[in-house]
Amino acid sequence: MRIPEINIRPAKRTDALDLAQLIDIAGEGIPSYLWQQSCEKGQMALEYGCMRAQRESGGFSYRNARVATLNNEVVGMILDYPISNPTEQDLKELHTLPEVVRPFVELEYQAGESYYINALAVYAPRRHLGIGKQLLKTAQKIAVQKGCHKLSVEVFSENQGAVALYKKMGFEVTASTPVLLHPCPPYYDQDVLLMTKPC
C-alpha cells in the first residue's frame, strides 16, 4: 500500500478552526469544556477556541503549532514550545487553578527546562499513516535547533495507543499523578503520565 505524501508546515492564523478542533481531540474534550466557561453569551466553545488559536502569543497560539497536510488539507497538528522551571509564584498559585487542569500543570512543572509537546492530534480518518510520528520527529528537530536537550509530553495512562506511540519514539514515563475527575468523556480516571526523552 502506497503511503500518501504528508507535508508539515508552520501553522497560520487561518488554520485556527483545525487547531481548535485538534487540540480538543488531543485534550479529550477538556479544552472545549474550559472554553465554554469563558464564552460570552451566545458564543460557542469552538468559536472561543478559534480566537485563542489566532493569538500572537500564549501557549495555545498558532505560532507554536505545526500542521500536517495531505493534498493541502490539514489532517493533524502538534503544539510545542520550550518551557522553564516554575517560579515560586507559579507554585503558590497552583491550588487556584481549575481542578480539571491541575494534574497537567503539576506534571508540566516537573518537566521544566524541556521542549514541551502540549498537544498532538490527527483526525481519526487519517490515523495509522505515520503522521504522528512525523510530527514528533519535526518537534525534536526544532527542539535541537532551539538548544533544548529534552522533550516532554503528557498523556492519559488509559490512552494506550498514544502511550505506545511515545514509547516507540523513545519516551519513558518519568512521573505520574492521578486524574481529578472531570465531566469530559471518555472520563479517564486513572493517571496522567509525564513522558520524556533526550533530544
Side-chain angles (χ1 to χ4, degrees), residues 68-82:
T69 63
L70 177 61
N71 299 325
N72 294 318
E73 173 194 352
V74 173
V75 294
M77 66 84 83
I78 191 165
L79 180 74
D80 47 47
Y81 42 84

Side-chain angles (χ1 to χ4, degrees), residues 146-180:
K146 290 181 178 289
C148 297
H149 303 291
K150 181 173 72 174
L151 291 175
S152 61
V153 67
E154 294 177 42
V155 62
F156 287 109
S157 60
E158 291 161 276
N159 188 344
Q160 296 178 359
V163 172
L165 170 63
Y166 293 126
K167 284 184 174 178
K168 191 173 183 179
M169 296 296 290
F171 287 80
E172 295 182 353
V173 176
T174 53
S176 65
T177 191
V179 173
L180 296 178

Side-chain angles (χ1 to χ4, degrees), residues 10-80:
K12 306 171 185 174
R13 290 186 87 242
T14 51
D15 295 318
L17 177 58
D18 282 303
L19 295 177
Q21 291 176 149
L22 286 161
I23 199 170
D24 198 42
I25 291 169
E28 306 285 7
I30 292 175
S32 59
Y33 168 74
L34 293 171
W35 296 337
Q36 192 64 57
Q37 316 307 308
S38 301
C39 283
E40 295 180 8
K41 189 175 180 180
Q43 187 180 36
M44 302 295 289
L46 193 57
E47 290 178 71
Y48 187 83
C50 287
M51 285 172 46
R52 288 182 64 81
Q54 290 173 333
R55 296 179 305 169
E56 297 295 322
S57 60
F60 183 37
S61 161
Y62 76 94
R63 290 188 173 276
N64 290 327
R66 269 150 300 289
V67 295
T69 63
L70 177 61
N71 299 325
N72 294 318
E73 173 194 352
V74 173
V75 294
M77 66 84 83
I78 191 165
L79 180 74
D80 47 47

Side-chain angles (χ1 to χ4, degrees), residues 76-143:
M77 66 84 83
I78 191 165
L79 180 74
D80 47 47
Y81 42 84
I83 58 172
S84 302
N85 288 316
T87 65
E88 285 187 25
Q89 190 63 31
D90 290 333
L91 296 173
K92 282 181 184 175
E93 293 175 357
L94 187 58
H95 74 282
T96 68
L97 297 175
E99 187 175 77
V100 68
V101 300
R102 208 175 303 146
F104 302 97
V105 178
E106 286 174 357
L107 287 181
E108 181 183 331
Y109 286 172
Q110 294 182 55
E113 303 300 334
S114 68
Y115 196 72
Y116 182 61
I117 299 166
N118 181 301
L120 170 66
V122 175
Y123 286 125
R126 301 300 187 182
R127 291 175 190 161
H128 310 295
L129 296 175
I131 297 170
K133 197 178 295 186
Q134 289 185 52
L135 286 165
L136 283 170
K137 286 180 178 178
T138 301
Q140 179 159 343
K141 285 179 187 174
I142 294 170

